[in-house]
């Protein structure tokens, strides 16, 4: 059989025709108005910075008191540490149950205590060590043992379930605080650069294994998440709000803080701030503002709306570093924020 050599020019012409046919098929299959080579612009929108003014001449906003939990030695009372000359052990956290009742991390008595919506005592569950935080995922309550600790446990049928150690790729993870009212066990972690990308970062916890996975932020609406990132190079410390969809950053905005007294701006310091809960319209937390001399001068409630609108920023009648109050707010089943405040007679619970 005689073999024939096809001219090179013919081969090139055939290949070119085939490629043109393939391109025509791809164009026909592409959505209207798009070419097969087009890609979505993934550059996040940058909103103009916002400066929030903490005015010391304005009185704190009063929230409505909805319950009172008396302090004392009895089992139906919140533990009050009598040590006034040392670091006091105080109630560490509040969580509002789906039925409107209250769970309190009663650190001094090493238990979590359950009170009805009217403040009457219901039950207490011993924890063996001081509970540091509480959060609901659906109707299940989770407990964090010890701030920056590594152990959490769910509550089931009025008792603690087997504790879970939080890890990532075999390394222990230090839980700083829960984020309440999420569809998964979500928490802030400290010393998380190697596993989550930042010193303070958000991660989801597998409730069966304790394995921690990175999270782009707090779930708010649909597939949207929001995060609050400290900008450590700015003075005074400012934060950047980040919005993500499908784990893709879509929008960012810097939030700055300025302390004012007598209509004059004064030196300002800002304490560590973490998102505490999602609300029906955004995310909520507390911000501790100082006067630049190492002394806190007040705590402000901050709520950042999902749509990027003007945040709510109002002073609450309390003072102290954010570490004393970051777990004192929680979202209730009615979509409103609750806040607990310890006084000499016991624990007062307010609703915004």
């Amino acid at each position: 059989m005689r073999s024939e050599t096809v001219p090179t020019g013919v081969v090139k012409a055939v290949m070119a025709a085939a490629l043109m046919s393939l391109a025509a098929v791809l164009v026909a299959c592409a959505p209207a108005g798009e070419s097969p080579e087009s890609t979505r612009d993934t550059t996040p929108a940058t909103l103009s910075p916002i400066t929030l003014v903490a005015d010391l001449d304005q009185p704190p906003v009063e929230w409505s008191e909805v319950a009172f939990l008396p302090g004392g030695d009895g089992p139906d009372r919140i533990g009050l540490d009598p040590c006034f000359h040392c670091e006091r052990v105080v109630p560490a956290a509040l969580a509002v149950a789906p039925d409107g009742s209250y769970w309190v991390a009663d650190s001094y008595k090493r238990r979590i205590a359950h009170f009805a919506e009217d403040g009457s005592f219901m039950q207490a569950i011993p924890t063996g060590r001081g509970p540091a935080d509480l959060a609901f995922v659906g109707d299940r309550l989770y407990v964090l043992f010890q701030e920056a600790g590594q152990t959490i446990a769910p509550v089931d049928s009025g008792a603690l379930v087997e504790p879970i150690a939080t890890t990532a790729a075999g390394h222990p993870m230090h839980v700083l605080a829960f984020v309440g009212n999420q569809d998964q066990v979500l928490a802030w972690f400290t010393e998380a650069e190697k596993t989550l990308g930042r010193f303070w970062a958000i991660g989801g916890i597998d409730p069966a294994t304790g394995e921690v996975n990175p999270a782009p932020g707090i779930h708010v609406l649909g597939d949207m998440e929001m995060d609050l990132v400290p900008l450590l190079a700015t003075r005074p410390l400012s934060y950047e709000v980040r919005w993500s969809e499908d784990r893709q950053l879509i929008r960012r905005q810097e939030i700055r803080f300025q302390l004012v007294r007598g209509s004059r701006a004064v030196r300002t310091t800002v304490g560590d701030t973490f998102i505490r809960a999602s609300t029906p319209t955004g995310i909520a937390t507390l911000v501790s503002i100082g006067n630049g001399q190492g002394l806190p001068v007040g705590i402000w409630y901050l709520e950042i709306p999902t749509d990027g609108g003007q945040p709510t920023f109002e002073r609450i009648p309390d003072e102290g570093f954010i570490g004393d109050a970051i777990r004192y707010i929680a979202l209730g089943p009615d979509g409103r924020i609750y806040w607990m405040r310890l006084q000499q007679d016991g624990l007062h619970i307010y609703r915004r």
Side-chain angles (χ1 to χ4, degrees):
M1 181 180 296
R2 187 178 64 178
S3 62
E4 296 182 356
T5 302
V6 180
T8 303
V10 174
V11 172
K12 291 182 177 180
V14 172
M15 291 180 65
L19 290 172
M20 290 178 65
S21 298
L22 177 59
V25 171
L26 291 175
V27 170
C29 294
E34 294 186 12
S35 70
E37 297 178 353
S38 67
T39 56
R40 184 178 65 177
D41 182 8
T42 57
T43 303
T46 301
L47 305 182
S48 299
I50 293 178
T51 298
L52 301 177
V53 176
D55 191 344
L56 290 174
D57 296 325
Q58 292 184 352
V61 174
E62 292 289 345
W63 293 15
S64 301
E65 184 167 351
V66 293
F68 169 65
L69 315 180
D73 296 331
D76 60 340
R77 294 174 178 268
I78 292 293
L80 298 178
D81 189 347
C83 179
F84 293 100
H85 303 289
C86 60
E87 184 177 354
R88 301 185 65 194
V89 180
V90 298
L94 171 70
V96 186
D99 64 0
S101 60
Y102 310 108
W103 284 89
V104 177
D106 194 356
S107 304
Y108 182 67
K109 293 186 176 181
R110 297 188 175 185
R111 64 177 189 167
I112 54 174
H114 192 193
F115 294 84
E117 193 171 2
D118 64 359
S120 58
F121 177 75
M122 297 177 67
Q123 64 171 319
I125 301 175
T127 56
R129 45 190 158 168
D133 202 8
L134 301 169
F136 274 95
V137 178
D139 59 358
R140 170 162 275 199
L141 179 66
Y142 284 83
V143 183
L144 167 66
F145 300 101
Q146 186 179 352
E147 180 183 339
Q150 303 165 10
T151 308
I152 68 171
V155 176
D156 190 18
S157 300
L160 289 177
V161 180
E162 187 69 23
I164 304 163
T166 54
T167 60
H171 300 286
M173 295 294 292
H174 302 275
V175 183
L176 180 67
F178 287 129
V179 179
N181 304 88
Q182 293 286 294
D183 55 4
Q184 62 173 320
V185 185
L186 206 63
W188 285 94
F189 293 86
T190 184
E191 302 176 20
E193 298 100 326
K194 293 183 179 179
T195 51
L196 301 182
R198 295 202 309 271
F199 185 86
W200 292 292
I202 304 171
I205 305 173
D206 186 321
T209 65
E211 184 70 16
V212 177
N213 295 295
I218 309 306
H219 181 251
V220 284
L221 290 174
D223 295 326
M224 183 178 288
E225 292 92 9
M226 294 177 67
D227 197 359
L228 193 61
V229 181
L231 301 178
L232 301 177
T234 63
R235 291 292 181 271
L237 178 68
S238 63
Y239 286 81
E240 185 174 78
V241 187
R242 297 178 181 177
W243 290 262
S244 300
E245 281 186 347
D246 298 324
R247 295 185 174 269
Q248 180 69 48
L249 181 64
I250 61 170
R251 190 165 67 225
R252 64 203 320 164
Q253 181 177 43
E254 183 180 352
I255 291 187
R256 303 164 181 168
F257 302 91
Q258 179 62 60
L259 189 65
V260 171
R261 186 190 300 272
S263 301
R264 296 181 58 186
V266 297
R267 188 177 177 186
T268 307
T269 54
V270 184
D272 298 335
T273 299
F274 311 96
I275 303 171
R276 178 57 185 173
S278 60
T279 71
T281 57
I283 55 176
T285 187
L286 296 176
V287 181
S288 177
I289 304 291
N291 60 5
Q293 300 176 356
L295 298 174
V297 295
I299 293 179
W300 275 257
Y301 172 74
L302 172 63
E303 186 170 337
I304 304 170
T306 305
D307 61 8
Q310 181 67 25
T312 298
F313 190 61
E314 56 190 30
R315 188 179 182 185
I316 62 174
D318 204 355
E319 296 180 0
F321 289 106
I322 199 66
D324 298 330
I326 188 63
R327 302 172 190 85
Y328 285 16
I329 64 171
L331 185 72
D334 54 2
R336 299 171 68 178
I337 291 291
Y338 290 70
W339 166 55
M340 71 176 189
R341 183 186 187 191
L342 183 67
Q343 296 184 311
Q344 294 293 332
D345 55 350
L347 202 62
H348 298 253
I349 297 179
Y350 304 86
R351 182 171 60 200
R352 186 177 181 276

